[in-house]
């Protein structure tokens, strides 16, 4: 037992019975358990109890032991002046300051099912995929769980985007550029690509986007790959980069993308060429993406994007491959870009102007195939339906933000599991 669990049980009223009595045997009726307070002061605000035939309204404080009231130095603290109840797991001593004000102490030890405590301890000690794996059941997933979880993720992402907008003078096109760079970098190079994109004044990109060679030169030069050209194309890129660097006073920074743990089609050389091609082909990229009405329209924006001809027989500079093929953006990669960059920005952009945006965005995610990775595979082994990107995104987010940190007391599934009796 810890204090957080005790607060959780109080908030969700998980008790074996409600025939509460204070430490002197007087009946206590809890009319309102109060509102859980996560700031300083009493744990629950605006509670209401009936005690000695008098209805009292005020705040409620919870502790593991009665003596914690003294240990936490609540006596004399003005935030605790409107206290009406002291609820504890175990009563170990009388508190004079509470007795003087006729504030009852309620011991909860005998009102809590030991099965709940055992389940919680097992969740904390687990070494499985998720804390509740041994007792998990899909029928404990609350109704609307995936929709609510995905919207929570999108709201968090919207806050990040709003902060980025403040930094970049409310320039949505620049923020889209940064978001797309992050997505094109995939897991290995996401942060490196974004840092590179943020180092470029977007006005510079706008001025050169009609010149594909200059776009590639810009990205490859900032990656530090043009210092020692190995062929004629690299020499051309180097000349263009030196020109751009002087003309636009580009930062003297070098961002070095990684190749390790990547399959050749995902090498940063190829992805940056595709990124350049996207901005070269789509002169009004932001408005096209924001106005697209369905997944097909969004996917079509990326469907014709491919790396330049130099990469048809290469994955790295100067090294010619025996196989020749155009390095197009695959449907799987397009899906990841939509999921991780386009749809979150589309949600943030329309959030305050379109009252139907929640349903529309959820619809976009429903129409996309789910991601396939080790986490979604493990959810599937637990019979969790992962049939579309809405479901995969929801359970990926939940795993990353709740299961990995064992935040079982804040999990809708955990709540149902802990409420269950044997």
């Amino acid at each position: 037992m810890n204090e957080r669990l005790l607060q959780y049980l109080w908030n969700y009223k998980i008790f074996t019975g409600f025939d509460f009595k204070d430490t002197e045997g007087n009946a206590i009726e809890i009319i309102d358990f109060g509102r859980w307070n996560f700031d300083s002061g009493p744990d629950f605000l605006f509670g209401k109890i009936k005690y000695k035939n008098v209805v009292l309204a005020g705040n409620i404080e919870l502790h593991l032991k009665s003596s914690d009231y003294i240990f936490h130095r609540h006596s004399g603290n003005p935030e605790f002046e409107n206290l009406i109840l002291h609820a504890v797991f175990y009563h170990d001593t009388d508190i004079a300051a509470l007795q003087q004000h006729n504030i009852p102490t309620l011991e909860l030890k005998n009102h809590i099912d030991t099965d709940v405590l055992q389940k919680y301890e097992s969740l904390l000690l687990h070494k499985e995929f998720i804390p509740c794996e041994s007792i998990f059941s899909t029928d404990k997933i609350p109704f609307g769980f995936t929709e609510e979880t995905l919207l929570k993720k999108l709201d968090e992402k919207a806050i990040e985007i709003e902060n980025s907008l403040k930094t970049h003078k409310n320039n949505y096109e620049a923020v889209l550029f940064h978001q797309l760079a992050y997505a094109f970098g995939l897991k290995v190079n996401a942060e490196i690509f974004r840092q590179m994109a943020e180092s470029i004044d977007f006005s510079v990109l706008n001025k050169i986007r009609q010149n594909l060679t200059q776009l590639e030169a810009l990205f490859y030069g900032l990656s530090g790959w043009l210092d020692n050209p190995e062929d004629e194309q690299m020499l051309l890129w180097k000349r263009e980069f030196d020109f751009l660097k002087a003309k636009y006073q580009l930062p003297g920074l070098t961002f070095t993308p990684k190749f390790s743990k990547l399959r050749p089609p995902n090498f940063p050389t190829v992805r940056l060429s595709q990124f350049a091609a996207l901005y070269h082909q789509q002169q009004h990229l932001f408005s096209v993406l924001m106005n697209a009405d369905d997944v097909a329209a969004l996917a079509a924006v990326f469907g014709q994007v491919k790396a330049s001809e130099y990469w048809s027989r290469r994955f790295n500079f100067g090294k010619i491959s025996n196989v020749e093929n155009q390095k197009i953006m695959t449907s799987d990669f397009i899906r990841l870009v939509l999921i991780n960059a386009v749809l979150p920005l589309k949600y943030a952009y329309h959030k305050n102007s379109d009252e139907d945006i929640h349903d529309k965005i959820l619809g976009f995610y429903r129409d996309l195939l789910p991601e396939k990775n080790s986490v979604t595979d493990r959810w599937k082994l637990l019979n969790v339906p992962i049939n579309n990107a809405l479901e995969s995104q929801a359970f990926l987010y939940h795993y990353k933000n709740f299961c990995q940190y064992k935040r079982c007391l804040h999990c809708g599934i955990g709540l149902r599991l802990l409420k269950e009796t044997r």
Side-chain angles (χ1 to χ4, degrees):
M1 171 62 73
N2 58 49
E3 195 165 298
R4 193 66 170 179
L5 175 59
L6 189 64
Q7 293 172 2
Y8 177 87
L9 298 175
W10 182 268
N11 186 66
Y12 292 104
K13 308 170 185 61
I14 306 175
F15 299 109
T16 56
F18 297 87
D19 53 335
F20 297 133
K21 294 182 179 180
D22 70 1
T23 53
E24 297 177 354
N26 299 302
I28 302 175
E29 179 186 350
I30 310 297
I31 300 172
D32 189 332
F33 283 72
R35 189 187 73 198
W36 202 345
N37 175 33
F38 297 101
D39 295 321
S40 63
D43 296 316
F44 288 84
L45 308 178
F46 313 118
K48 187 180 292 186
I49 68 172
K50 186 176 182 180
Y51 179 63
K52 295 183 177 178
N53 294 320
V54 177
V55 174
L56 304 171
N59 304 325
I60 300 169
E61 177 69 2
L62 273 65
H63 285 122
L64 291 183
K65 305 187 301 292
S66 301
S67 55
D68 286 340
Y69 191 89
I70 300 171
F71 180 73
H72 293 168
R73 299 179 179 179
H74 292 328
S75 296
N77 185 335
E79 288 188 304
F80 291 82
E81 286 183 356
N82 194 31
L83 212 62
I84 60 171
L85 179 65
H86 187 214
V88 301
F89 178 71
Y90 173 69
H91 178 61
D92 61 343
T93 187
D94 292 328
I95 308 299
L98 297 178
Q99 290 179 323
Q100 290 171 5
H101 293 88
N102 198 31
I103 298 170
T105 295
L106 166 62
E107 186 180 63
L108 295 169
K109 179 178 62 176
N110 296 325
H111 295 275
I112 298 173
D113 192 337
T114 56
D115 183 42
V116 173
L117 303 182
Q118 291 171 0
K119 279 183 181 179
Y120 181 65
E121 289 176 1
S122 70
L123 294 180
L124 295 182
L125 295 172
H126 95 103
K127 297 185 183 298
E128 298 170 305
F129 166 58
I130 56 175
C132 61
E133 185 166 337
S134 61
I135 56 174
F136 178 84
S137 173
T138 54
D139 62 7
K140 297 300 180 291
I141 300 174
F143 178 76
F145 176 83
T146 53
E147 291 83 358
E148 181 181 336
T149 301
L150 179 55
L151 288 174
K152 183 187 300 180
K153 175 181 179 177
L154 289 171
D155 282 330
E156 291 179 4
K157 193 69 177 175
I159 293 173
E160 292 179 17
I161 290 170
E162 288 165 7
N163 290 334
S164 184
L165 284 167
K166 293 176 184 176
T167 302
H168 296 92
K169 301 177 181 179
N170 212 36
N171 189 334
Y172 271 99
E173 289 191 274
V175 173
L176 172 64
F177 178 54
H178 307 152
Q179 293 286 108
L180 287 172
Y182 184 89
F184 268 73
L186 296 172
K187 187 175 182 180
V188 173
N189 287 307
E191 281 299 335
I192 296 173
F193 277 23
R194 176 156 62 188
Q195 289 171 12
M196 183 193 302
E198 290 179 347
S199 75
I200 303 167
D201 190 312
F202 189 72
S203 64
V204 174
L205 187 96
N206 261 337
K207 291 173 183 176
I208 69 171
R209 66 194 301 171
Q210 292 185 3
N211 188 325
L212 179 58
T213 300
Q214 288 190 342
L215 281 173
E216 288 183 298
L218 176 63
F219 296 151
Y220 292 151
L222 289 173
S223 298
W225 290 332
L226 302 178
D227 294 339
N228 299 297
E230 299 181 39
D231 53 39
E232 288 297 321
Q233 182 62 53
M234 290 188 72
L235 277 170
L236 175 58
W237 279 328
K238 177 173 171 49
R239 285 196 296 270
E240 292 291 348
F241 179 67
D242 289 342
F243 167 75
L244 294 173
K245 191 173 182 180
K247 181 176 182 178
Y248 296 111
Q249 299 181 323
L250 298 177
L253 300 172
T254 298
F255 306 88
T256 308
K258 302 174 184 177
F259 289 81
S260 61
K261 299 180 181 179
L262 288 172
R263 293 173 57 249
N266 288 326
F267 276 5
T269 47
V270 176
R271 292 307 185 201
L272 284 174
S273 180
Q274 291 171 338
F275 193 39
L278 172 65
Y279 271 87
H280 174 64
Q281 292 177 14
Q282 297 289 342
Q283 298 296 312
H284 305 285
L285 183 60
F286 178 78
S287 60
V288 170
L289 293 176
M290 294 304 106
N291 292 325
D293 290 328
D294 53 41
V295 165
L298 286 175
V301 175
F302 301 90
Q304 301 301 314
V305 174
K306 61 182 179 180
S308 59
E309 287 302 315
Y310 179 84
W311 301 108
S312 294
R313 293 190 61 186
R314 294 176 178 83
F315 291 101
N316 212 331
F317 295 101
K319 299 178 181 178
I320 299 178
S321 169
N322 293 326
V323 179
E324 182 175 358
N325 64 330
Q326 293 183 331
K327 305 299 189 298
I328 64 171
M329 287 184 64
T330 64
S331 57
D332 285 345
F333 183 54
I334 292 173
R335 185 172 72 252
L336 289 177
V337 171
L338 295 182
I339 288 172
N340 296 314
V342 176
L343 292 180
L345 184 60
K346 196 174 177 70
Y347 175 78
Y349 180 70
H350 292 290
K351 184 180 177 184
N352 297 320
S353 60
D354 186 349
E355 60 183 16
D356 299 322
I357 191 60
H358 293 80
D359 292 336
K360 289 178 181 178
I361 288 293
L362 293 177
F364 277 108
Y365 279 97
R366 283 194 190 94
D367 290 340
L368 286 166
L369 292 173
E371 300 99 309
K372 296 179 181 179
N373 53 45
S374 59
V375 176
T376 56
D377 287 345
R378 292 298 297 272
W379 280 118
K380 287 181 180 179
L381 288 175
L382 294 174
N383 297 317
V384 172
I386 306 287
N387 299 312
N388 53 52
L390 191 159
E391 293 169 343
S392 63
Q393 279 286 289
F395 281 97
L396 284 169
Y397 174 86
H398 191 73
Y399 175 76
K400 180 181 178 181
N401 292 276
F402 290 84
C403 302
Q404 280 193 314
Y405 295 100
K406 300 181 181 180
R407 295 177 61 201
C408 307
L409 299 182
H410 300 275
C411 166
I413 300 171
L415 169 61
R416 290 194 170 197
L417 292 170
L418 285 172
K419 273 188 172 181
E420 263 192 352
T421 55
R422 279 194 181 92

